Amino acid sequence: MSADPDKMDLPSRSELFDFHGVPMIHYFTDNWENVQNFQARPDDILIATYPKAGTTWVSYILDLLYFGQTAPERQTSIPIYERVPFLESIKSAEETGVDQVNNLPTSPRLIKTHLPIQFVPKSFWEQNCRIVYVARNAKDNVVSYFHFERMTLTQPDPGDWSSYLHRFKEGKIVFGPWYDHVNGWWKKKQTYSNLHYMFFEDMVEDTGREIEKLCRFLGLSPSVEEKKQITSGVQFDNMKKNNMTNYSTVPVMDFKVSPFMRKGKVGDWKRHFTVAQSEEFDEDYKKKMKDPTLQFRTVV
Ligand code: A3P
């Protein structure tokens, strides 16, 4: 926040700095010891993503699956970012993401993180917690992240599109390289069986099918009617209208610049990348994404 009393309510943009080899901002590192010492419970569910891969979408689906029937009032009174706290974030001087998780009255606790694999608190592994990882193709992910940084006044200033794209390729953005993130988690999945790795593109293609898969992973068996209700409630237009899921209650986001629920599409990158930018991106991508078992779709 600004020191000038007249501007006390204007947030200031954060500076990126190197944090154990990953570019970060202080909002996500200032509570580090408590994050690393976080005590997970065996029934905790961690929702892990690179920023802008569909975190809110999957958080909302999980929240509805677990609490949609038993605690319907929470759907109209508690914003999704409070129902599913963001573990490493500092919400305010008084409250951190860790505090928020520890104060959750519900069980299981649904917990959001953007941490790359090497930073995940070890108690999640020790407790063998279920983890849902969502990945999104790099081109749509960078476009979404660019608009998010434009509208979120506490994020570093994204600059113009072409310099942002350059920085994305270099991994010089908050939470580091997309390439390392999606690969690191993908590799973990090979040895940690309680990890469900999902793709944003699959969710767009067939949300109902992906909810079915999630239910199998979580050991849930909602009724046909309930699944129908959830699939409809989590459609883009419904989430965009819903003040509890569209982030309209967050003061540091400037919706005049861009809405949080922006497009929700696969392939919006085509409206941003020039042909040359796309070709250069693809060349660089091939060099960084060597694992043939991890494939993304940039169209559906
Ligand atoms: P766009 O900026 O491309 O629209 P996160 O929750 O990880 O921050 O991701 C936000 C992105 O997911 C935004 O992408 C947002 O519109 C999209 N999204 C959120 N809910 C969605 C839904 N129900 N259907 C499609 N996209 C959704």
Side-chain angles (χ1 to χ4, degrees), residues 117 125 128 184-195:
I117 193 79
W125 312 123
N128 197 30
W185 279 92
W186 181 253
K187 210 161 154 235
K188 185 73 185 178
K189 176 182 132 73
Q190 318 313 321
T191 55
Y192 185 79
S193 58
N194 255 354
L195 173 55

Side-chain angles (χ1 to χ4, degrees), residues 52-57 136 144 234 236 260-264:
K52 312 317 291 174
T55 331
T56 315
W57 197 0
R136 185 178 193 182
S144 183
V234 306
F236 181 83
F260 179 87
M261 296 288 300
R262 195 183 58 87
K263 288 275 164 74

Side-chain angles (χ1 to χ4, degrees), residues 51-292:
K52 312 317 291 174
T55 331
T56 315
W57 197 0
V58 169
S59 299
Y60 188 38
I61 292 172
L62 288 194
D63 191 72
L64 285 171
L65 281 170
Y66 280 103
F67 309 115
Q69 303 291 311
T70 51
E73 70 291 345
R74 95 195 225 116
Q75 301 304 330
T76 49
S77 58
I78 311 176
I80 191 65
Y81 51 82
E82 285 179 20
R83 287 182 243 163
V84 183
F86 184 3
L87 186 66
E88 61 271 25
S89 75
I90 315 264
K91 197 179 167 222
S92 65
E94 295 78 40
E95 199 179 22
T96 66
V98 170
D99 296 332
Q100 275 185 294
V101 175
N102 285 331
N103 291 333
L104 279 178
T106 43
S107 171
R109 302 184 299 186
L110 306 175
I111 305 168
K112 159 182 164 178
T113 186
H114 288 319
L115 293 174
I117 193 79
Q118 69 274 23
F119 287 167
V120 175
K122 67 176 185 317
S123 65
F124 284 103
W125 312 123
E126 290 166 353
Q127 299 294 339
N128 197 30
C129 295
R130 286 201 177 87
I131 302 180
V132 176
Y133 185 80
V134 193
R136 185 178 193 182
N137 82 75
K139 284 176 164 173
D140 283 322
N141 208 140
V142 60
V143 167
S144 183
Y145 211 168
F146 173 63
H147 290 295
F148 176 75
E149 297 218 315
R150 288 174 56 235
M151 61 91 77
T152 306
L153 308 175
T154 46
Q155 289 284 122
D157 186 345
D160 65 20
W161 162 244
S162 96
S163 63
Y164 190 76
L165 183 59
H166 181 72
R167 282 200 288 121
F168 180 89
K169 287 196 279 187
E170 306 251 288
K172 296 200 172 120
I173 50 179
V174 189
F175 291 104
W178 174 92
Y179 311 88
D180 293 353
H181 209 283
V182 297
N183 274 304
W185 279 92
W186 181 253
K187 210 161 154 235
K188 185 73 185 178
K189 176 182 132 73
Q190 318 313 321
T191 55
Y192 185 79
S193 58
N194 255 354
L195 173 55
H196 182 64
Y197 199 107
M198 312 175 62
F199 294 92
F200 181 91
E201 295 72 29
D202 293 345
M203 302 256 297
V204 169
E205 184 178 70
D206 190 340
T207 313
R209 179 193 64 205
E210 295 307 308
I211 292 178
E212 289 278 355
K213 286 195 210 160
L214 258 175
C215 288
R216 277 201 294 280
F217 170 68
L218 299 167
L220 298 175
S221 31
S223 67
V224 174
E225 187 51 36
E226 197 185 330
K227 267 186 287 191
K228 228 167 87 186
Q229 258 179 27
I230 295 176
T231 309
S232 149
V234 306
Q235 288 311 304
F236 181 83
D237 291 343
N238 289 334
M239 281 183 65
K240 191 177 170 88
K241 279 195 295 234
N242 180 344
N243 282 343
M244 294 297 112
T245 58
N246 64 14
Y247 275 72
S248 56
T249 41
V250 176
V252 297
M253 292 184 178
D254 186 347
F255 279 62
K256 290 194 289 302
V257 175
S258 176
F260 179 87
M261 296 288 300
R262 195 183 58 87
K263 288 275 164 74
K265 292 211 156 49
V266 183
D268 187 47
W269 63 270
K270 291 181 188 164
R271 293 178 53 256
H272 292 77
F273 282 68
T274 63
V275 172
Q277 281 172 342
S278 178
E279 285 171 1
E280 277 166 34
F281 192 89
D282 293 346
E283 266 313 300
D284 179 66
Y285 187 90
K286 270 188 246 153
K287 289 183 204 141
K288 290 175 176 150
M289 299 294 285
K290 296 278 189 210
D291 183 347

